[in-house]
Amino acid sequence: MEADGFVPSSTLESPAVERRVTGTIAATGFGILGNSVLDATGGFVGTFTPRMTGEPDFISMLHRATPEPSASVEPEADYEGLPQGAASSTHMLAGAVAGIMEHCLMYPVDCVKTRMQSLHPEPGARYRNVMDALQQIVRTEGLWRPIRGVNVLAVGAGPAHALYFACYEKIKFSLSDAVHPGANSHFANGVAGCAATVLHDAIMNPAEVVKQRMQMFNSPYRGVLDCMGSLLRQEGPAAFYRSYTTQLTMNVPFQALHFMTYEYLQELLNPHRQYNPSSHVVSGALAGALAAAVTTPLDVCKTLLNTQEAQAVHVIPAGAAAAASGPESRYISGLSEAFRTVYRTGGVPAFFKGVQARVIYQMPSTAISWSVYEFFKYIITKRQHEKRLRGDRDGDK
């Protein structure tokens, strides 16, 4: 008895059978000729023999023989792999928008962090926690006081983050291809984050100095320009980069840990690297919190170098001050000196002053930065992809 599409091998020599096999293949897409399986074109697919131990069965062979989807299906835009020639502009625009939004939206918490890291806070600037600090500042100094100095940070954050993300993406993909082709490399992510930080901090450091001077309690400056002019007259241009090496010492491990954690979490939460806002928010927040907590001692030293807190400067031993010469003898300079000053002032706990505010600031800050960056990168890349597809269609006509 013959089943549809199957022919006994004893009748294979008959021309009629040959016509039946051909017709069956045309109708069903497959047919049996002896122990051989033929596809719609008459090509050999496999054999229909009893399966031995360890051999693939007929079903699996037939499944593998299924024709591939048509190549005419339009591919989805891969926003991780940007169109050639558009990568730099895309990363720089997305990075600039992300940086400005990150710093501006979280600026009030950053103001609280700067004050809570003060080694000798004045009676009016002693706070129990972040919410208590914000309430006191608004109640005693006015509604707009927590965002004083935000304009200088916005001006610096745009170009700084544009270079930051463009450099990061370029080095990450180049180094990943060299170290671990076709896969994610944590080493490449770390190196890319460190290199991007050097450029970022070179632009942001002067803005950070002015910002923190204006955030301090009883700041004597009327505005950004007044602060910059006063610093130039009294402390010279070096004041804007006095904390640069400390900033790098803090940000290189911060960004290396931040990027490696973010990319690791993306592998877990978003393994296909599609645009997924929730995974970007969660990965960014957790990566920022971990990196912020670990590097808080260096951030305390950086704040001291930027603000040159008067009472902390007097902690410097008389012998060290006398040994120094020139106008810089009145200022704390360098990471080692800042480290010693912090330790003499409050011991080991002083290195973790403001850690709560720093983590609270960094979690939403990095979440905002990554989610905005990934969103703009996705939108820009999608538009470029659609434009390219339209150009291909017009060329085919």
Side-chain angles (χ1 to χ4, degrees), residues 279-303:
S279 75
H280 300 316
V281 169
V282 173
S283 300
L286 293 177
L290 177 62
V294 171
T295 57
T296 295
L298 291 168
D299 191 51
V300 172
C301 294
K302 184 208 75 173
T303 298

Side-chain angles (χ1 to χ4, degrees), residues 8-209:
S9 57
S10 60
T11 62
L12 289 177
E13 300 302 325
S14 169
V17 170
E18 183 178 352
R19 287 193 300 272
R20 288 189 60 190
V21 170
T22 305
T24 304
I25 291 176
T28 64
F30 292 99
I32 302 299
L33 186 59
N35 288 331
S36 299
V37 184
L38 305 180
D39 61 12
T41 63
F44 176 78
V45 173
T47 60
F48 192 63
T49 56
R51 181 168 61 91
M52 303 298 292
T53 304
E55 291 184 354
D57 57 16
F58 171 76
I59 298 299
S60 63
M61 294 180 68
L62 192 60
H63 175 73
R64 288 199 299 270
T66 303
E68 295 294 327
S70 173
S72 63
V73 177
E74 293 181 356
E76 293 184 3
D78 178 11
Y79 87 105
E80 285 290 336
L82 295 171
Q84 187 175 2
S88 297
S89 61
T90 300
H91 290 307
M92 293 183 78
L93 179 58
V97 175
I100 292 172
M101 291 190 67
E102 167 197 350
H103 286 288
C104 291
L105 291 177
M106 296 306 301
Y107 192 84
V109 181
D110 186 49
C111 176
V112 171
K113 177 196 71 98
T114 298
R115 293 195 179 194
M116 293 183 76
Q117 288 180 337
S118 173
L119 299 179
H120 290 280
E122 297 185 30
R126 293 175 180 171
Y127 314 112
R128 294 190 302 271
N129 51 53
V130 175
M131 287 304 300
D132 177 57
L134 285 172
Q135 290 172 358
Q136 284 196 45
I137 292 171
V138 171
R139 185 173 62 250
T140 61
E141 302 176 53
L143 179 64
W144 303 109
R145 186 62 181 87
I147 60 172
R148 190 164 181 252
V150 69
N151 49 345
V152 69
L153 199 64
V155 171
H161 279 71
L163 287 175
Y164 178 74
F165 279 107
C167 178
Y168 169 71
E169 295 284 354
K170 180 68 175 177
I171 295 177
K172 180 182 78 171
F173 284 115
S174 300
L175 198 57
S176 291
D177 289 341
V179 175
H180 200 175
N184 183 43
S185 170
H186 296 302
F187 172 75
N189 297 334
V191 172
C194 294
T197 299
V198 174
L199 289 177
H200 171 273
D201 287 355
I203 298 175
M204 280 297 293
N205 208 83
E208 284 281 337
V209 173

Side-chain angles (χ1 to χ4, degrees), residues 301 304-305 332-343 351:
C301 294
L304 176 61
L305 289 168
I332 299 172
S333 180
L335 177 59
S336 59
E337 190 174 355
F339 196 92
R340 289 194 298 270
T341 303
V342 172
Y343 184 75
F351 288 102

